[in-house]
Amino acid sequence: MSQNLVILCAAGMLVTAYLMVGQKALFVAIRLYGLQSILLGVVAVAMAFTDHRPHLLESAALTIGLKGVFIPWFLMRTIDRIGIHREIEPFVNTPSSLLICLGLTVVGYRVSTGLAAGGEGAAHHVIGVSLSMLLMGLFLMVTRRKAVTQILALLTIENAVFLVALGATSGMPLVVELGISFDVIVAVLVLGILVHRIVDRFESMDVSRLSKLKG
Amino acid sequence: MSGWTHVASSTPLSLARSFAFGLLQAAVLLAVAPLLRGVIKKMKAAFQTRQGPPLLQGYYDLAKLLRKEPVRSETASWVFVAGPRIYFATAVAATMLVPVLFAGAPLEQAGGILVLVGLLALGRFTLAIASLDTGSPFGGMGGSREMTVAALAEPALMLGLFTVALWAGSLNLGDLVRTTAQRGPSGHPSELLAAAALFIVLLAEAGRVPVDNPATHLELTMIHEAMVLEYAGPDLALVEWASALKELLFMTLLVNLFLPLGLAASAAPGAIAVSGALYAGKVFFLAVAVTLVESTNAKLRFFRVPELMALSLGLGFLALAIRFL
């Protein structure tokens, strides 16, 4: 039963990653990231109970509280403050992005079967989903124009790495968990400030303008 | 009544009994369909802190329209008259292929997924050519838009249904539901992906907000409403009723394929009551989901709709691909 829950939530994370690629409203993308993190938390909770790894509960609480609630709130506040155009403008159009992500998912799934733990059962799906999400995160990062969307892509990659850690290992010790969480917070805060600076200087979040010498 | 017990054991019913059972199921769904729309409208109104129309408004509207005399353009030919009738008939025929309260469909020997999709396509096609018949620009525009959306929604619908069909190894909806009900949740990601794809198809087929706005009569944005703009009286009532039935049909398909929990295996009153209550609960849950999407999203610009449908198609493809990985 809880095996099914794990797979269901992992699949849900893949769907949210997919929806993130497929739609254009910035706020929806942020909410999707929050939902994805909450699903990740549920995966951790389910694994804590099935495999009797109580320390996973703490990282689940951290994931839900920090990545599911705090970071989305912080990002939305940042966007509200700088008052930018709330639409994602990708370099690659949506249908092509979706097709490419489709291919990336197939690659991620295929690769996961080569891993020792990824051959079969729930671990196969968890690792397959996380590798696909990792690739999709990388793809989002190189094809998105706005700094905030690139932060979201980075956070998606981070979620994917956490999920692969859950699926392939018996979970990381709490100290490492805490370290990673603080890294993520600091990264988001710093990137938030960076976004402010970029907008101040260039009156836009479009990072492609950074490569021009004149504004 | 005794014939129904055979449904579960999948022994073929006699043709006459299948038809009787099918007609009864279609009648029940027809009776409930306007209520579903009323419930969604009410919940939407609650979101906007309005009171909204009464739950039974759909029935009042249908009764009013059915009492009126049909007004048709002088240039309208028989195609115009036939359109709503065929649309209604295909929707009713489609309901007979879908399992609702029982783990089996009344006319499941007549065909499965492909017939269902074909019937719905036939209904849409006749309505679209009927909209061209009077030569009014709005009808043609609406018809063209409707077909654009349909052409994109249909493959996604097929992919989603095929993903589920692969599990059961059968294209027959009755077999499909019986297999999933026995096996329980598969614990495979492809199921959720297919469900997500079909949910987007549901929004498109029912003309719900990100694709079409069922509440507006603003000419520039409407799709389905523009197509049926020329209809009045009983003709319009048939179109409205069939559309409501189609919406309920899609929801039924979605809940029974992915959550076949508690479907009655026999015609025992207790089993029917349990299955009916669960069915109502599941459809209500889906209606809440639709309301949430409608209330929190803006309608997409028409040229953005293909992107949404591409998303649905992508999810369907992915569901099918992951099934083999």
Side-chain angles (χ1 to χ4, degrees), chain A residues 33-92:
Chain A
Y33 167 72
L35 179 66
Q36 190 182 65
S37 308
I38 290 169
L39 286 171
L40 181 63
V42 177
V43 170
V45 170
M47 284 201 159
F49 282 113
T50 39
D51 306 353
H52 305 291
R53 293 187 248 154
H55 69 275
L56 280 181
L57 286 178
E58 289 144 16
S59 41
L62 257 168
T63 304
I64 292 176
L66 208 63
K67 292 194 260 178
V69 179
F70 173 73
I71 291 180
W73 169 80
F74 178 77
L75 284 178
M76 288 199 208
R77 207 191 58 150
T78 307
I79 292 172
D80 259 348
R81 285 214 176 155
I82 53 184
I84 47 155
H85 188 49
R86 290 175 190 174
E87 209 166 75
I88 299 168
E89 294 143 352
F91 288 114
V92 184

Side-chain angles (χ1 to χ4, degrees), chain B residues 107-118:
Chain B
L107 284 185
E108 60 180 56
Q109 299 131 40
I113 291 171
L114 293 174
V115 177
L116 176 75
V117 175

Side-chain angles (χ1 to χ4, degrees), chain B residues 78-92:
Chain B
W78 63 271
V79 178
F80 185 79
V81 183
R85 283 157 186 77
I86 298 179
Y87 184 62
F88 188 79
T90 52
V92 169

